[in-house]
Amino acid sequence: MRTLVTGGAGFLGSHLCERLLNDGHEVICLDNFFSGKRANVRHLIGNRNFEIIRHDIVEPILLEVDRIFHLACPASPVHYQYNPVKTIKTSVMGSINMLGLAKRVHARILLTSTSEVYGDPEQHPQTESYWGHVNPIGVRSCYDEGKRVAECLMMDYHRQNNVDVKIVRIFNTYGPRMAINDGRVVSNFCVAALKGEKLPIYGDGRQTRSFAFVSDIIDAIVRMMNSENGFTGPVNIGNPDEFTILDLAKLAMEFAGGASGIEFHPARPDDPIRRRPDISLARRVLGWEPRTSLREGLAITMDHFRRELELAGG
Ligand code: NAD
Ligand code: UDP
């Protein structure tokens, strides 16, 4: 099986490439290295089933593959808001290019969509049938609306051209290989706590998120790709254990072995107040549920950041 992973040098993509190689696939990792890095896949270089292509998916590409895991898109608000027009081009033009490729070579394609399609949700927990509450003109919309269009494109190529599509909606995920400067809350808190700096909280810290460990999410993505009977999704994948950002800050300080304290900043615009997946569909259709608790996963992730900071000399 020859498999393309767009965004393969990113946080999730690099874990996915590793998993697919272990499963015996030939893997082509395609990335423009905007928020990913070669170091994430350095240990895979030399494997004769692994190939990296530096390419921007906003431009078309001709390849012969059987499966496409379509991940390419910056996922941290800091990264996707850096060049919002590019972010939406990546989701819209990039997805059209990857769907065009899937159509031409009859490959199955999986899109990593996001819980952000629910926006600041008025339904809690969020089920797949909820249509969401997204501000279409806010600073997060380049990402949220980009993914909503990408989902729409997936379903239209499916209905119009019979492309074999799969959509997963991933909720906040963390783990080793998140970059020190990733900008998302888990990395920011781990790094600050390890450096003995105050943990930055946007807003009052009572907003919630449900954090999934990377290996659980990779397992769900692979199960979804392998699912048969024409199941397209979308399906929520995430860990339904819900925490406030304040809870997370306390845990991060505990695991870093210090009490560096908290610093409050103004809330980010359009920051969702609550987020938690209903994963009944994933349980039923994929036979999947997360196995790693936040305490277990955070301990592993803290070790990763400890090593990264040592390497960076900080
Ligand atoms: P990431 O930023 O680490 O990885 C994204 C990768 O895509 C990077 O390697 C980046 O260089 C690459 N990329 C970006 N734009 C590109 C372009 N135009 N052409 C080619 N490559 C490009 O983020 P991640 O956390 O690994 O997220 C991977 C995917 O999962 C994204 O689609 C994201 O929307 C989705 N997702 C992630 C989470 C999460 O919590 N990690 C949650 C929901 C959805
Ligand atoms: N957040 C925070 N401090 C940080 C980074 C994020 O308090 O250093 C908050 C952010 O305002 C949001 C939550 O943590 O309420 C999750 O933010 P993140 O950027 O990780 O992902 P999001 O789910 O918002 O895309």
Side-chain angles (χ1 to χ4, degrees):
M1 189 76 78
R2 185 179 294 166
T3 302
L4 173 66
V5 180
T6 75
F11 163 51
L12 291 181
S14 61
H15 285 278
L16 182 61
C17 287
E18 195 173 294
R19 162 73 190 266
L20 294 171
L21 286 168
N22 285 337
D23 289 351
H25 292 243
E26 233 177 273
V27 176
I28 302 174
C29 162
L30 188 153
D31 207 295
N32 71 349
F33 300 112
F34 170 64
S35 51
K37 52 181 192 241
R38 203 171 281 272
N40 283 342
V41 286
R42 189 174 289 139
H43 60 297
L44 305 177
I45 297 170
N47 183 321
R48 62 188 173 82
N49 287 326
F50 184 66
E51 194 178 338
I52 306 185
I53 303 176
R54 178 191 285 263
H55 177 79
D56 194 313
I57 55 156
V58 167
E59 304 298 331
I61 187 166
L62 292 178
L63 294 166
E64 306 303 320
V65 292
D66 304 300
R67 288 192 167 177
I68 303 171
F69 287 89
H70 177 31
L71 279 67
C73 182
S76 162
V78 178
H79 291 142
Y80 70 63
Q81 287 169 19
Y82 172 76
N83 184 345
V85 173
K86 180 62 196 259
T87 301
I88 198 149
K89 275 187 182 173
T90 294
S91 267
V92 178
M93 293 158 74
S95 296
I96 290 175
N97 286 332
M98 290 307 116
L99 279 157
L101 173 62
K103 177 180 154 191
R104 183 177 64 80
V105 299
H106 303 291
R108 178 177 288 179
I109 178 167
L110 177 148
L111 170 74
T112 51
S113 185
T114 169
S115 54
E116 302 282 343
V117 299
Y118 302 124
D120 189 3
E122 289 163 318
Q123 184 197 89
H124 192 81
Q126 294 80 52
T127 54
E128 291 82 355
S129 56
Y130 176 53
W131 287 354
H133 181 226
V134 174
N135 175 359
I137 55 167
V139 293
R140 296 175 77 100
S141 60
C142 60
Y143 183 71
D144 305 2
E145 297 289 18
K147 288 287 186 178
R148 288 168 68 98
V149 174
E151 287 198 11
C152 162
L153 286 164
M154 294 282 285
M155 294 313 295
D156 280 340
Y157 270 81
H158 176 63
R159 284 185 288 252
Q160 193 177 331
N161 301 111
N162 222 10
V163 175
D164 187 1
V165 302
K166 307 269 178 195
I167 303 171
V168 291
R169 291 182 179 154
I170 305 174
F171 284 63
N172 296 63
T173 305
Y174 68 97
R177 290 206 200 115
M178 283 188 105
I180 288 178
N181 65 351
D182 179 272
R184 280 174 280 190
V185 68
V186 173
S187 42
N188 280 4
F189 283 5
C190 289
V191 170
L194 287 168
K195 285 180 157 177
E197 293 171 359
K198 289 203 186 315
L199 278 56
I201 289 191
Y202 302 120
D204 61 11
R206 284 186 297 171
Q207 69 269 38
T208 69
R209 293 292 187 274
S210 304
F211 298 101
F213 189 61
V214 59
S215 55
D216 285 331
I217 292 303
I218 297 299
D219 186 35
I221 292 175
V222 171
R223 279 175 192 242
M224 181 61 174
M225 180 58 108
N226 293 338
S227 64
E228 296 299 340
N229 307 326
F231 176 58
T232 59
V235 59
N236 287 340
I237 54 174
N239 190 323
D241 294 343
E242 184 181 356
F243 295 84
T244 67
I245 295 304
L246 263 173
D247 292 332
L248 180 73
K250 287 179 194 147
L251 263 183
M253 285 190 277
E254 178 192 326
F255 280 105
S260 41
I262 286 168
E263 194 172 67
F264 288 92
H265 297 270
R268 286 173 167 178
D270 295 336
D271 201 351
I273 303 295
R274 300 179 77 188
R275 187 184 288 154
R276 175 176 159 210
D278 180 320
I279 59 163
S280 318
L281 185 62
R283 282 199 176 101
R284 197 170 67 247
V285 181
L286 306 178
W288 172 88
E289 62 182 2
R291 296 170 181 280
T292 318
S293 70
L294 182 58
R295 293 191 77 88
E296 288 169 285
L298 206 55
I300 299 168
T301 307
M302 198 59 91
D303 284 344
H304 152 76
F305 282 114
R306 211 172 263 122
R307 278 193 306 275
E308 288 290 299
L309 285 173
E310 275 165 22
L311 283 174

